[in-house]
């Protein structure tokens, strides 16, 4: 039987904590079974023009905005090819800011983004370009839309031990 999770040491300034992180397959299954989530689907974001495929998702058939904000999950790939959730975030369809950058050597001392520190310290792991997009109820006013996406971000972070973006 496939394991749904594994433990990883995350070390920040000498403090080591074990995080239980969940596999892509487990997270996808759990989210698809979650009442209240409108849709969840996987996108492979290419390096060039990574967000070009999002336009058709957030517009309805008349070209009106159906969603503005959404929650997402980023994954990292272990050396055996298995994907584990690492970041839960929220962004918007018109100007998404999902980033796969790592710590730059210039800003290393000021960088406090834990997922990037973890991947930087574990060269055998790398970000996957596969992202889960999580939508809530469509056609809300922007404030309600933003609040629901923020609520979904919080939910996935707490449920799957994901880090902030």
């Amino acid at each position: 039987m496939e394991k749904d999770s594994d433990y990883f040491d995350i070390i920040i300034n000498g403090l080591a904590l074990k995080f239980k992180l969940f596999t892509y397959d487990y997270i996808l299954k759990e989210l698809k079974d979650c009442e209240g989530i409108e849709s969840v689907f996987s996108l492979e974001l290419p390096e060039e023009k990574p967000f070009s495929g999002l336009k058709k998702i957030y517009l309805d058939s008349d070209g009106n905005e159906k969603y503005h904000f959404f929650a997402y999950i980023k994954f990292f790939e272990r050396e055996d090819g298995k994907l584990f959730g690492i970041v839960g975030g929220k962004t918007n369809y018109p100007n998404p800011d999902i980033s796969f950058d790592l710590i730059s050597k210039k800003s290393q001392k000021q960088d406090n983004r834990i997922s990037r520190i973890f991947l930087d310290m574990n060269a055998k792991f790398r970000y996957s370009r596969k992202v889960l997009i999580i939508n809530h109820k469509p056609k809300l006013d922007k404030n309600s839309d933003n609040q629901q996406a923020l609520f979904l971000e919080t939910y996935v972070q707490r449920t799957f031990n994901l880090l902030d973006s």
Side-chain angles (χ1 to χ4, degrees):
M1 186 168 120
E2 279 292 305
K3 278 179 66 176
D4 292 333
S5 63
D6 209 342
Y7 287 91
F8 296 87
D9 289 325
I10 298 180
I11 304 166
I12 305 297
N13 292 323
L15 174 62
L17 298 172
K18 281 201 180 305
F19 270 65
K20 182 179 184 180
L21 300 177
F22 295 90
T23 64
Y24 168 85
D25 292 333
Y26 176 79
I27 292 172
L28 180 60
K29 178 194 170 304
E30 291 296 308
L31 289 175
K32 284 191 172 188
D33 292 342
C34 184
E35 208 169 302
I37 291 178
E38 181 73 22
S39 68
V40 59
F41 58 92
S42 178
L43 277 182
E44 189 85 26
L45 297 177
E47 296 213 20
E48 282 202 28
K49 298 184 181 179
F51 306 112
S52 59
L54 290 178
K55 191 171 193 171
K56 64 182 178 222
I57 299 163
Y58 82 96
L59 298 177
D60 65 18
S61 58
D62 296 325
N64 299 313
E65 217 173 60
K66 182 169 51 171
Y67 304 104
H68 191 81
F69 295 95
F70 65 93
Y72 65 87
I73 298 175
K74 291 193 313 189
F75 297 84
F76 73 93
E77 186 174 344
R78 192 167 62 184
E79 64 273 12
D80 62 1
K82 191 171 264 198
L83 300 181
F84 290 87
I86 186 76
V87 171
K90 172 192 80 89
T91 191
N92 63 74
Y93 280 105
N95 296 299
D97 60 354
I98 301 171
S99 171
F100 299 98
D101 64 334
L102 295 174
I103 296 172
S104 74
K105 296 304 174 196
K106 288 191 292 185
S107 66
Q108 192 167 12
K109 289 184 178 168
Q110 300 95 357
D111 204 317
N112 61 358
R113 297 170 295 179
I114 296 169
S115 65
R116 288 168 175 88
I117 295 168
F118 169 71
L119 291 175
D120 189 57
M121 293 178 74
N122 293 281
K124 59 188 176 196
F125 302 153
R126 65 175 187 83
Y127 272 128
S128 168
R129 301 295 295 191
K130 190 178 278 197
V131 175
L132 285 182
I133 306 294
I134 307 154
N135 286 311
H136 48 73
K137 293 179 182 175
K139 295 192 177 186
L140 300 168
D141 63 86
K142 275 203 179 121
N143 185 49
S144 298
D145 184 46
N146 184 39
Q147 288 297 310
Q148 283 198 10
L150 182 61
F151 189 43
L152 281 172
E153 174 189 33
T154 302
Y155 174 79
V156 298
Q157 286 176 346
R158 303 299 187 279
T159 303
F160 303 114
N161 296 336
L162 301 170
L163 303 168
D164 291 332
S165 59

